[in-house]
Amino acid sequence: MNLAARDAGLSLLRQHALIAGEPIAANGAGVAVDNPADGALLGHVPDLGAAETKRAVAAAVDAFTDWSRGDPHERAAFLRAWAALIDENTEALGALCALENGKPFEEAKGEIAYANGFIKWFAGEAERLIGETQDSPLGHLILTYREAVGPCALITPWNFPAAMLTRKLGPAFAAGCTAVVKPASQTPFTAIALAELAYRAGLPAGALSIVTGEAAVIGKALCDSPDIRKLSFTGSTGVGRKLAEQCAPTLKRVSMELGGAAPLVVFADADLDLAVAETIKGKFRNSGQTCVCPNRVYVERPVAETFAEKLAAQVARLPVGDAFQPGVKVGPLIDDKALDKVERHVAAIQADGGRILTGGARHALGGRFFQPTVTLGGDDRLFREEETFGPMVPVFPFDTEAEALEKADASEFGLASYLFTRDLDRAMRFSRRIEAGMCGVNTGLISTPVAPFGGVKQSGYGREGSIHGIDEYVNVKTVTLALRSA
Ligand code: NAP
């Protein structure tokens, strides 16, 4: 057990929320946060409500004018200073993230580096808030400016406590927006530590608040506020739909990064060893609790059995355990409900005539650990409708390319998708036709700060990261100049 790393993580744990840069202590009560590996209490954050949310919004409004009208190069310099502090504290932040989320420490450090990638990328974007000039057919000169949308509400999930936050805060700050953040109740400490570093890096008071407590109450106060001009949400489709409805009366700009139930398709001509290795990379990150991880794997019938057996053999060897146990690749699930869901999905496959090739039950470690699982056959319907959000890969055979595309698209979701083939024509054709915001061809890893991230259909709208990410936080202003001729 790497106890030194764990202690470093605890050194960044603050049991408070932050309103306008000022801590509000939990004082041993409020929302309890535990370590999913053993259920041990890590600490509390305060249970704040509408009044504190309104104070945070007022602070974001106060800070907005100076911040948005300031020099974008200064905002870029702030983002770089923040990124440098995060780099310095990667070990401790990774450990804190591992403690509250359960993901392996090495993986959690990877998340911090990935999260910081957004801050670094958007520091550059702050310097590229470029407008346009254009001659008008009316004889005028048209100028466009890209201006900050306003104070933003950002609501984030527990599965990537750092990256889902910086993917929003990076572009928001770059554009000149201020923010009120509601982190997930199961993983608030990483967000609070990142906010502390942001203030240490020179963020003006009020530009960022972290409000903890009852999600529905805080969410409603944020959606109802006419001062909040934009909501960016990452989480489940059901909550996203509700928030979009709540934002309608104030006509806020909204972006929604919602659930996925990603298909992964393997054709018989694929490099099967590569497909197996990439499926494992894509699926078992965060114990299968990611919005882009393959939820259903379709394999062309002649190679389905071979693929599934190779996959099962490697999955059976994945080390499961506490985040700080050296070599661990798969951690616990976030809570008991998550464990029940994986169990239900395994039972559904069995009821439909599918076979368990490895795993299939709770792990001998007990608690929230589940065995990494591979199944073959059964009905794919449930896996088109629901994310398993756990360490289970169901493999289903298919016969034709048309059938694979039909099955891949037969879901209300459309976030990530994956395809393995050596046929370039097929790769181009299939990746263009599939209804998904993203498609990985011969890879299971598609997330990077430089690639647009987002979904279609019930997976939401808006794009994060890349050159498009900042567009979610700017309004285009048009100035029309009537110039007198000399
Ligand atoms: P969730 O239940 O929707 O929660 C996400 C966030 O919303 C949390 O901060 C939660 O707060 C808050 N929330 C819950 N109910 C709310 C309400 N009525 N009003 C305002 N806020 C509310 O989702 P989750 O189970 O944590 O996360 C997993 C889901 O997120 C999956 O569906 C996954 O696919 C999706 N996800 C999508 C992306 C993407 O980029 N597309 C990335 C990661 C995850 P509490 O924690 O306090 O309940």
Side-chain angles (χ1 to χ4, degrees):
M1 205 71 124
N2 187 346
L3 295 179
R6 211 182 60 172
D7 290 347
L10 290 171
S11 74
L12 280 187
L13 191 155
R14 306 280 182 271
Q15 299 190 52
H16 59 226
L18 275 177
I19 306 284
E22 293 299 321
I24 299 189
N27 294 324
V31 184
V33 182
D34 71 14
N35 178 346
D38 55 12
L41 180 71
L42 290 173
H44 291 85
V45 286
D47 188 6
L48 304 180
E52 292 89 354
T53 307
K54 284 181 185 162
R55 273 212 294 128
V57 171
V61 170
D62 283 349
F64 178 71
T65 307
D66 286 351
W67 183 243
S68 60
R69 290 187 190 161
D71 181 348
H73 299 91
E74 284 177 14
R75 294 200 297 271
F78 152 72
L79 286 167
R80 292 200 173 97
W82 188 21
L85 283 178
I86 293 172
D87 274 339
E88 269 172 40
N89 288 278
T90 295
E91 293 267 323
L93 285 166
L96 185 57
C97 176
L99 277 166
E100 61 181 0
N101 169 282
K103 65 179 71 181
F105 175 50
E106 288 305 318
E107 192 181 315
K109 278 193 292 184
E111 180 187 338
I112 301 301
Y114 170 57
N116 208 3
F118 289 102
I119 298 174
K120 293 171 184 173
W121 171 265
F122 284 106
E125 289 299 281
E127 292 166 338
R128 285 188 288 270
L129 279 169
I130 297 167
E132 293 148 0
T133 61
Q134 193 183 347
D135 291 320
S136 153
L138 302 177
H140 302 146
L141 179 65
I142 299 168
L143 308 177
T144 59
Y145 296 88
R146 294 163 81 207
E147 298 185 335
V149 165
C152 298
L154 312 177
I155 303 181
T156 54
W158 51 263
N159 59 350
F160 289 89
M164 297 304 98
L165 182 63
T166 59
R167 205 161 73 172
K168 299 183 192 306
L169 279 178
F173 286 151
C177 297
T178 53
V180 178
V181 170
K182 152 76 187 78
S185 296
Q186 284 160 315
T187 60
F189 291 128
T190 306
I192 294 161
L194 285 168
E196 181 177 315
L197 295 182
Y199 277 110
R200 237 194 269 167
L203 188 69
L208 173 61
S209 291
I210 309 278
V211 189
T212 55
E214 181 67 43
V217 175
I218 295 168
K220 180 87 168 54
L222 290 170
C223 293
D224 285 350
S225 168
D227 292 326
I228 291 289
R229 299 295 171 81
K230 157 139 198 132
L231 169 81
S232 178
F233 173 72
T234 298
S236 59
T237 296
V239 173
R241 229 176 250 139
K242 184 170 178 187
L243 290 171
E245 262 175 40
Q246 288 180 355
C247 285
T250 52
L251 289 179
K252 276 185 218 330
R253 285 186 60 177
V254 176
S255 6
M256 291 282 161
E257 298 285 345
L258 308 176
L264 184 150
V265 178
V266 182
F267 286 96
D269 65 16
D271 177 337
L272 284 196
D273 291 330
L274 174 79
V276 165
E278 294 296 309
T279 301
I280 290 173
K281 278 189 212 159
K283 178 71 205 190
F284 289 94
R285 212 158 42 110
N286 206 14
S287 304
Q289 303 171 109
T290 81
C291 55
V292 290
C293 68
N295 201 52
R296 45 203 170 105
V297 172
Y298 300 108
V299 186
E300 205 167 353
R301 197 172 303 276
V303 296
E305 190 94 28
T306 312
F307 173 88
E309 275 167 11
K310 278 174 183 266
L311 181 68
Q314 292 192 30
V315 165
R317 291 200 294 271
L318 289 173
V320 178
D322 184 283
F324 296 94
Q325 201 75 49
V328 155
K329 294 280 186 234
V330 180
L333 297 183
I334 191 73
D335 55 25
D336 291 339
K337 238 170 66 190
L339 213 60
D340 292 344
K341 192 175 190 190
V342 187
E343 236 172 14
R344 180 162 61 78
H345 282 201
V346 172
I349 282 288
Q350 284 181 297
D352 290 333
R355 282 187 286 140
I356 295 172
L357 301 188
T358 188
R362 292 176 186 236
H363 198 276
L365 285 169
R368 297 174 209 167
F369 291 95
F370 200 90
Q371 295 172 350
T373 298
V374 176
T375 64
L376 177 62
D379 193 339
D380 70 333
R381 187 186 41 80
L382 182 62
F383 300 84
R384 290 188 255 128
E385 293 170 357
E386 280 186 9
E387 301 167 289
T388 303
F389 245 56
M392 170 190 187
V393 190
V395 177
F396 307 100
F398 71 87
D399 291 301
T400 64
E401 182 179 325
E403 183 196 349
L405 186 63
E406 191 187 317
K407 287 195 153 146
D409 282 344
S411 167
E412 64 168 3
F413 299 108
L415 189 60
S417 59
Y418 305 88
L419 160 66
F420 289 82
T421 178
R422 285 190 173 107
D423 179 337
L424 182 61
D425 288 337
R426 176 160 31 212
M428 297 302 291
R429 187 170 60 232
F430 202 93
S431 59
R432 286 299 295 273
R433 287 187 184 160
I434 196 161
E435 286 186 313
M438 300 168 281
C439 183
V441 178
N442 294 325
T443 178
L445 293 181
I446 56 173
S447 304
T448 148
V450 310
F453 189 104
V456 297
K457 302 198 283 186
Q458 300 301 304
S459 293
Y461 41 82
R463 289 294 175 268
E464 293 194 319
S466 80
I467 56 168
H468 301 290
I470 199 156
D471 293 341
E472 305 288 331
Y473 296 89
V474 296
N475 287 325
V476 174
K477 176 187 275 173
T478 309
V479 173
T480 302
L481 278 180
L483 298 172
R484 284 173 195 280
S485 46

